[in-house]
Amino acid sequence: ELGAYGEIHGDDIRTHALSSFALDELARDAGSVDADKAWTAHLARMAENAAFVPELPSTLQAELRDYQVEGFQWLGRLAHWGVGACLADDMGLGKTLQALALLLTRAKDGPALVVAPTSVCLNWIDEAARFAPTLNLKLFGPGGRAATVDDAGPFDVVVVSYGLLQLEAARFKGRRWHSIVLDEAQAIKNMHTKRSQAVMALQGDFRMAATGTPLENHLGELWNLFRFINPGLLGSADQFQLRFAGPIEKAQDKRAEAGARTRLKRLTAPFILRRTKAQVLSELPPRTEIVVPVELSAEENALYESLRRQALDKLAALEAPEGQKAIEILAEMMRLRRACCNPELVAPGAGIASSKLATFARLTTDLLENRHKVLVFSQFVDHLTLIRHYLDAQGVAYQYLDGSTPIQERKRRVDAFQAGEGDLFLISLKAGGVGINLTAADYVIHMDPWWNPAVEDQASDRAHRMGQQRPVTIYRLVARGTIEEGIVDLHRHKRDLADSLLEGTEMAARMSPGDMLEMLKAGLGR
């Protein structure tokens, strides 16, 4: 058991200093344990840090809720101890505000760096101006970039997008920061990307990750997150796979799986704080989710079935390694998913009407007649373009945002929608699924289901968050008898890795190429 927490060197087992929480818990479970003075002193220092209660800064211009005060104090304790933290509160619970309160307490001792998605950077500037006016926030990009980094001092907070950090990695690598905050930290889930490498090269005294989805697909994402906040705690990537990810995700041996999950929770729990809306926001209005089945026309069904059979024939003739075959399968699945959205996306000029667009038209006509405001998400920008053409023809006022929208224009459109300009807000899932507040809307429509329900939930929470006064209804449009039903089925049966780690439910493996191929083989009338 003890060997699973460290490396064996002869007769000794060497463990990471931050595994102390787990080892202390293990020792208490074992009953009487002989320990030397160094271990006893180490436990005493841990207890002293646990008793440390940081005071809210007097310059914070906000009344924090009780759970936000607790979050700030938890962050402050770990910062005082000199270890990293992951604030994994549910979307919309004010992670930015809790982080700003912490940055205020540390501001006098040196500069801070905030790394965030482009769409969220200006939100940091706005919230700091409102809640922490004594902080001097600087957006990296405009003006002298070298001076922004090199001259940063006490009370300065440099805000940079993940994209610019990657481009300017050498510049940021050479500077040490008193505090570093990664916002929407799931952005570094892939350890092999240049973005992840740029983040890992940063030097900081205190490292914090903020994310509502610490795990989206598999446990390797959690390993990379901890590689940033507390390097070495979970071992190397190979060690992590052997000790934790393999036994848990493959689940071939239930006893081994349960043991690995318990050990992983013991190691990570002291450094992750997660509260859900249901736990802390009893006053938040209810949220209703409705799957709207879309019956495709005979012409759409014929097109879909033709594409599906072409895909299977192509894949049957493909001779490639499993990894390459998985990419090809995904490409064919993507084509089928686009056909479900609108035939024009896969057969332009064929003149086949879209049943999904007709369903959308009926839904929005009814909602607008009853004076509701609606967020409309799709992962396909050209799908949104076709919806825009329909709305333009109907004379419906709307706002629009995708990955090509400039950062200042994003803010202008969000503010305009919140102020009442436009009845609908069309948003690409990737560009607008995080970091923006759109509580003016009380309805959300997902035009096409995404593989991971957590990503859709993040998008829906643009409306269902603090400040929302009305019940929120979420519609998912799903084409019957198609791959979209397979995706929704996956939502229903896939165990959320984050919940299993934080709440103890079972885990399931990621989809294999074989699983994907089975989904592709499912024809009409499933």
Side-chain angles (χ1 to χ4, degrees), residues 10-164:
D11 294 332
D12 300 327
I13 297 174
R14 297 179 185 175
T15 64
H16 193 284
L18 298 188
S19 63
S20 304
F21 289 104
L23 296 180
D24 185 38
E25 188 177 345
L26 189 64
R28 282 187 273 112
D29 288 349
S32 177
V33 174
D34 291 330
D36 61 17
K37 290 182 179 179
W39 173 251
T40 305
H42 182 62
L43 291 182
R45 286 194 299 273
M46 284 171 53
E48 184 182 330
N49 275 298
F52 175 71
V53 181
E55 290 187 15
L56 277 170
S58 59
T59 52
L60 183 68
Q61 304 295 303
E63 191 72 35
L64 298 189
R65 296 168 184 251
D66 289 346
Y67 77 88
Q68 292 174 326
V69 173
E70 292 170 4
F72 157 75
Q73 291 174 341
W74 177 80
L75 289 169
R77 275 194 294 274
L78 293 189
H80 177 70
W81 187 16
V83 300
C86 175
L87 182 60
D89 280 350
D90 215 349
M91 289 76 75
L93 294 185
K95 293 187 288 292
T96 303
L97 180 56
Q98 294 172 68
L100 282 169
L102 180 76
L103 292 181
L104 273 174
T105 65
R106 297 175 57 80
K108 69 179 187 302
D109 296 318
L113 176 69
V114 172
V115 189
T118 303
S119 59
V120 183
C121 287
L122 286 184
N123 184 61
W124 271 88
I125 305 289
D126 289 347
E127 293 216 7
R130 181 179 171 194
F131 300 125
T134 56
L135 292 178
N136 178 27
L137 268 78
K138 300 178 178 181
L139 182 63
F140 180 84
R145 294 186 176 185
T148 300
V149 174
D150 298 342
D151 299 344
F155 290 92
D156 288 337
V157 180
V158 176
V159 180
V160 62
S161 70
Y162 283 100
L164 277 178

Side-chain angles (χ1 to χ4, degrees), residues 146-195:
T148 300
V149 174
D150 298 342
D151 299 344
F155 290 92
D156 288 337
V157 180
V158 176
V159 180
V160 62
S161 70
Y162 283 100
L164 277 178
L165 176 69
Q166 181 180 323
L167 288 173
E168 301 273 5
R171 187 185 307 280
F172 282 92
K173 181 180 179 181
R175 177 69 205 261
R176 189 167 188 88
W177 306 88
H178 189 52
S179 309
I180 301 176
V181 178
L182 290 194
D183 197 10
E184 303 294 351
Q186 68 273 10
I188 63 158
K189 61 187 178 183
N190 187 341
M191 72 179 82
H192 301 297
T193 61
K194 290 183 178 178
R195 172 185 293 180

Side-chain angles (χ1 to χ4, degrees), residues 307-308 310-312 314-315 327-337 483 520:
L307 292 173
R308 189 183 71 84
Q310 287 176 24
L312 289 174
K314 178 180 176 181
L315 293 169
I327 294 171
E328 295 293 338
I329 295 171
L330 280 172
E332 295 301 326
M333 293 174 93
M334 182 75 77
R335 198 161 175 236
L336 288 179
R337 291 166 63 208
I483 194 171
L520 192 58

Side-chain angles (χ1 to χ4, degrees), residues 119 338 345 360 373-392 396-418 420-433 436 438 447-448:
S119 59
R338 288 168 62 79
L345 297 176
F360 168 80
K373 293 173 81 72
V374 189
L375 307 184
V376 181
F377 287 98
S378 174
Q379 65 196 284
F380 305 118
V381 172
D382 48 0
H383 187 197
L384 291 176
T385 299
L386 295 176
I387 296 171
R388 293 178 74 182
H389 291 163
Y390 162 77
L391 295 176
D392 290 339
V396 176
Y398 63 88
Q399 298 291 340
Y400 176 82
L401 188 158
D402 67 25
S404 67
T405 309
I407 186 170
Q408 295 287 351
E409 183 62 15
R410 289 170 187 250
K411 182 181 184 315
R412 191 198 69 75
R413 293 179 189 178
V414 168
D415 291 346
F417 184 78
Q418 289 291 91
E421 295 180 29
D423 298 316
L424 285 80
F425 204 138
L426 274 57
I427 307 172
S428 69
L429 191 64
K430 187 174 182 181
I436 50 178
L438 293 168
M447 294 298 298
D448 34 85

